[in-house]
Amino acid sequence: MAQERINDFVIKFANVNGSGSASANQLFAKAILRMGVPVSPRNIFPSNIQGLPTWYEVRVSGDSYLGARGGVDLMVAMNPQTWDKDLASIDPGGYLFYDSTRPMPPARFRDDVHVIGMPLTEICNREYTDARQRQLFKNIIYVGALSALLEIELAELEKLIGEQFRGKDMLIAPNLHALRLGRDYAARHLDCPISLKVRRASAVGERVFMDGNSAAALGAVYGGATVCAWYPITPSSSMAEAFARHCKKLRVDKEAGLNRYGVVQAEDELASIGIVIGAGWNGARAFTCTSGPGISLMQEFIGLAYFAEIPAVIFDIQRAGPSTGMPTRTQQCDVLACAYASHGDTKHVLLFPEDPKECFDFAAQAFDLADRLQTPVFVMSDLDIGMNERLCDPLAWDDSRRYDRGKVMTHDELESGREFGRYLDVDGDGIPYRTWPGTHPTRGAFFTRGTSRDAYARYTEEGVPYTENMQRLLRKFETAKQYLPKPEFRKAVQPSRIGAIFYGSTSPAMDEALDRLEEKGVRLDTLRIRAFPFHDEVDDFISNHDQLFVVEQNRDGQLRTLLVNECEVDPAKLIPVLHFDGTPITARFIIREIAESLAALNIQPIKKSA
Amino acid sequence: MTYIAKPKLQHPDLPKNKLGYTHRDYEGAISTLCAGCGHDSISAAIMQACFELDLPPHRIAKISGIGCSSKTPTYFLGNSHGFNSVHGRMPSVLTGANLANRDLIYIGVSGDGDSASIGLGQFAHILRRGVNMVYIVENNGVYGLTKGQFSATADPGSKDKRGNASHDDSIDMVALALQLGASYVARGFSGDKDQLVPLIKGAILHRGASFLDIISPCVAFNNHSGSTKSYDFVREHNDAVNRLDVILPRDPITAELKAGEVEDIKQHDGSVLRLRKLDEDYDPHDRIHAMHYLERHKAAGEIVTGLLYVDREPEDLHARLRTVESAMNTLGEKELCPGAKALEAINAGLR
């Protein structure tokens, strides 16, 4: 018997897409969570609806390490197609759980892996006659068996089944039956428990378990978005769908049965952003959600919104590119495409949420920022946080909070004779006043255009007003910093001359890496960047350190490029740590890369071995 | 709004509408289009229509794409907000604007290059969504601003200024609009203001997706013989199926009417579209009939004009989305933000 591993292991389910495994796997993860033990599950899925392999990986971590870990301790191998690969991915000493209905030659197994066979198909065929039932309940049966093997409390699973099928009560009993069928079989015939165990703890606390796209959609509801225009694209579609779902519950005038929102599934991404810009121009809060290819299609409009100064919120749920890239795999690869989106001289505000909580917070804040700054604001999420459920702090809202609609001149202000120039910088912060269409019968109307104009929105091709306007846009960009979420500084236990910069979904892997590196005596100060344009703190952090690692999930070190460019840093000072194979970055990867670099640089405590 | 100031002086006896506005209050900047351009006549017709309907100019939003036609919103309704957006993308901007504030009147101005080529997709989708608007295509068959290339509405065999014939089939915007679900479809001619002004007025009063294809000759690049979009050609081949009058609720109804000759279509605001038949066979409420008629007459080389189709009970995007009566841009935290308590309940469901 291997050494006991309590609340610290990775289990991976290898399934076939469309076989109904997702809800069973989710049930498994949530039961562990209900036992007070943190989990972080990840769907690894193909661009396919039915038939191709799909995996669901659950990291169980009593220490709350929520990043992907790498390696597998228990493989639930339900897909013959991927058998060899799945078997190979198990860490030595780990477990293989498989359907033993059809005998497998010994050569198909590994000596260094514990094998647990259970005749799942046989049990199902005996129990059920309907083909679909056989398939669906097979999933619940293996969850039942796993609960015995890992000592997951049956009561939690039963409670969850009751919750899941509330309102469809007919389904509760058969699911409970299947669950017990699996559990009883395992208890009777398998060697239970195994060395991997789940033990009740209180490490979850008040935290909630949700995906970033749902959280961002909820943030849009709380932030006052009334118009959503979108075009289906993985991994962002679930955000628009979640917005519609939340709105159905939270945004309906119950008496009249009428909606305080409008969702348009547009014909393409060009129309999506056009609708958002039209709505923003007319004083509604509007957003679109998309991924890299959609950002590419929106370029012309983004430039217009930047130059004509129209609020817009764009959620980019990033996936691996270029072109169609790996549409169901994660990356942070649109940083530059968004920061400098469109033709001409442009720069845009970016926000980098690290988890669903920040997806919610930044989504709501993005609408204030877009209105305040009268410009497009990008929320740079990604597939890893967007489409996976993640444990995070509970969402919070302060009821005294008011929407910041920015500098909008009212009818009364115009009536009182206040001067209005659409592009006039009266406050010196680069932000002019605007009027919404229909405000005043004779004052405040102006013509919005993508062509150059003077401070009063009058068409001109003169060089001076053009350059003055472009300079003002830079002043406005500078002003933006004061409204943006500041970077998060984490100081090493002892003063350090080396540091690391990271952002977005890299957080959990980075936190874990820092703990492990600290154990090895490696001291790293870190800065988590949460917004672009960069605050002065970023410049300070860079100048206060001799060497900095920039950890990101793309090939070209896009944030590093942005830092070099915007903070005018010597590139030699910034060492890229780049993970871009489409899987989420892991602590193991970060530790290895940083340790190797430090050894190469001959920095204490890790020195070159020879 | 204007960048060339117009003289402020005006004749004291200029007629005023119900709001006390004169024609001058509906004007914009001085046009920079070519002298004789059909588009300027359309701008004039829009101003006249708005004046006669007693519309407060600031409650109208003008949205356009890119091109000669899309420049024109600068030249009318100077007290209205205007938005000269992206080439071929007026429809999406207008859709968003309309969602944000359903209380304004939206005039979308586009051209044949803007709507039939680069923007054909958006043209199609705004009509099928039923956005409440007046969508005007100022159709001259050429790209004017880039100096005379054929557009997608140029008829096959028609000649450009250098004498080259267009060899591609042409796109008939009216036929498309009928197929795509526009609930008010008309074709006019910039050279016939008497016909055009009521068509625009009817489109404004119609609460749904109104589409107007207005043949508007380009005097610089497409007004020569061999062109099918020249003043002479359109005059010679114009087949008007009906004549429209718009009667406002306050207008007295005078003429005695013979049954069968005219049809009164009551609008949401109480005004009436009075249609006088010029062609006995034409039924403007039968979409399929209209499509047949158009194809038949097109084959005979005629340009069918008039109110070609009108749905008596149109439904717009807001009705389909079941949105609230108030404009979205007037809603604040109270109406939009579910608050901390609701969030706590949501949190509780996520554990």
Side-chain angles (χ1 to χ4, degrees), chain A residues 333-378:
Chain A
C333 55
D334 299 336
V335 176
L336 289 173
C338 292
Y340 300 132
S342 203
H343 49 276
D345 291 320
T346 53
K347 291 187 194 208
H348 304 287
V349 173
L350 314 179
L351 300 173
F352 301 104
E354 66 166 348
D355 66 359
K357 166 81 163 87
E358 278 193 348
C359 285
F360 173 83
D361 289 342
F362 290 0
Q365 194 185 355
F367 293 94
D368 279 353
L369 291 169
D371 268 345
R372 169 57 46 185
L373 301 167
Q374 300 175 18
T375 199
V377 173
F378 293 78

Side-chain angles (χ1 to χ4, degrees), chain A residues 251 259 282 395 403 445 448, chain B residues 1 84 322 329 333 336 347:
Chain A
R251 278 283 193 77
N259 301 324
N282 212 1
L395 309 181
Y403 295 155
T448 303
Chain B
M1 316 45 45
N84 194 179
R322 297 188 55 74
N329 68 358
E333 295 88 357
L336 300 178
N347 281 328

Side-chain angles (χ1 to χ4, degrees), chain B residues 227-347:
Chain B
S227 158
T228 58
K229 300 245 178 342
S230 66
Y231 280 109
D232 288 345
F233 187 91
V234 179
R235 284 204 182 99
E236 281 159 26
H237 296 81
N238 191 342
D239 170 28
V241 291
N242 49 32
R243 212 77 197 178
L244 177 67
D245 282 313
V246 175
I247 303 162
L248 295 180
R250 64 180 157 87
D251 294 337
I253 293 181
T254 46
E256 281 292 313
L257 302 167
K258 277 190 211 151
E261 272 184 6
V262 298
E263 184 200 1
D264 283 355
I265 308 162
K266 198 151 186 190
Q267 297 302 289
H268 211 270
D269 67 338
S271 55
V272 170
L273 306 189
R274 173 161 296 172
L275 260 184
R276 194 175 303 272
K277 278 192 175 180
L278 299 179
D279 184 325
E280 273 305 309
D281 297 337
Y282 200 81
D283 178 4
H285 305 301
D286 184 340
R287 207 183 274 275
I288 293 163
H289 165 82
M291 289 160 102
H292 276 295
Y293 186 98
L294 280 164
E295 284 302 314
R296 224 169 41 240
H297 287 252
K298 191 174 145 191
E302 288 167 5
I303 300 168
V304 179
T305 59
L307 178 52
L308 304 175
Y309 175 74
V310 59
D311 184 340
R312 295 187 191 90
E313 300 289 335
E315 185 187 56
D316 86 327
L317 177 66
H318 281 278
R320 293 178 193 177
L321 293 176
R322 297 188 55 74
T323 53
V324 286
E325 295 290 330
S326 340
M328 297 278 197
N329 68 358
T330 62
L331 306 178
E333 295 88 357
K334 203 171 133 279
E335 296 86 9
L336 300 178
C337 185
K341 216 176 147 195
L343 200 54
E344 274 168 33
I346 291 168
N347 281 328

Side-chain angles (χ1 to χ4, degrees), chain A residues 30 34 205-210 218 221-222 224 226-227 250-251 253 256-268 270-271 274-275 277-279 281-284 300-301 304 310 360 394-397 399 401-403 405 435-450 458-459, chain B residues 1-3 21 57-59 61-64 70-71 73-74 78-87 89 91-101 104 106 121-123 125-126 129 317 321-325 328-333 335-344 346-351:
Chain A
K30 214 153 177 194
R34 288 286 178 91
E206 282 302 291
R207 283 184 289 178
V208 296
F209 186 61
M210 75 185 308
L218 200 56
V221 174
Y222 273 74
T226 49
V227 175
L250 301 166
R251 278 283 193 77
D253 178 335
L258 297 173
N259 301 324
R260 297 196 187 96
Y261 68 97
V263 178
V264 176
Q265 186 187 315
E267 58 271 30
D268 54 31
L270 286 80
I275 290 169
I277 288 167
W281 173 74
N282 212 1
E300 188 181 15
F301 255 129
L304 173 80
I310 297 165
F360 173 83
L395 309 181
W397 189 261
D399 281 333
R401 177 170 168 178
R402 292 290 161 264
Y403 295 155
R405 300 306 316 263
T435 53
W436 295 349
T439 301
H440 191 281
T442 54
R443 293 171 187 167
F446 67 94
F447 208 82
T448 303
R449 45 165 65 88
R458 291 174 299 211
Y459 181 87
Chain B
M1 316 45 45
T2 62
Y3 70 99
Y21 288 130
H58 74 294
R59 302 300 291 175
K62 315 164 287 184
I63 302 175
S64 60
S70 291
K71 289 174 83 164
T74 314
N79 280 322
S80 306
H81 275 66
F83 194 160
N84 194 179
S85 67
V86 177
H87 198 18
R89 316 296 172 210
S92 62
V93 176
L94 192 151
T95 302
N98 181 293
L99 280 171
N101 185 356
L104 302 186
Y106 295 92
Q122 296 214 342
F123 161 81
H125 288 275
I126 197 170
R129 282 192 193 105
L317 177 66
L321 293 176
R322 297 188 55 74
T323 53
V324 286
E325 295 290 330
M328 297 278 197
N329 68 358
T330 62
L331 306 178
E333 295 88 357
E335 296 86 9
L336 300 178
C337 185
K341 216 176 147 195
L343 200 54
E344 274 168 33
I346 291 168
N347 281 328
L350 296 168
R351 291 188 176 112

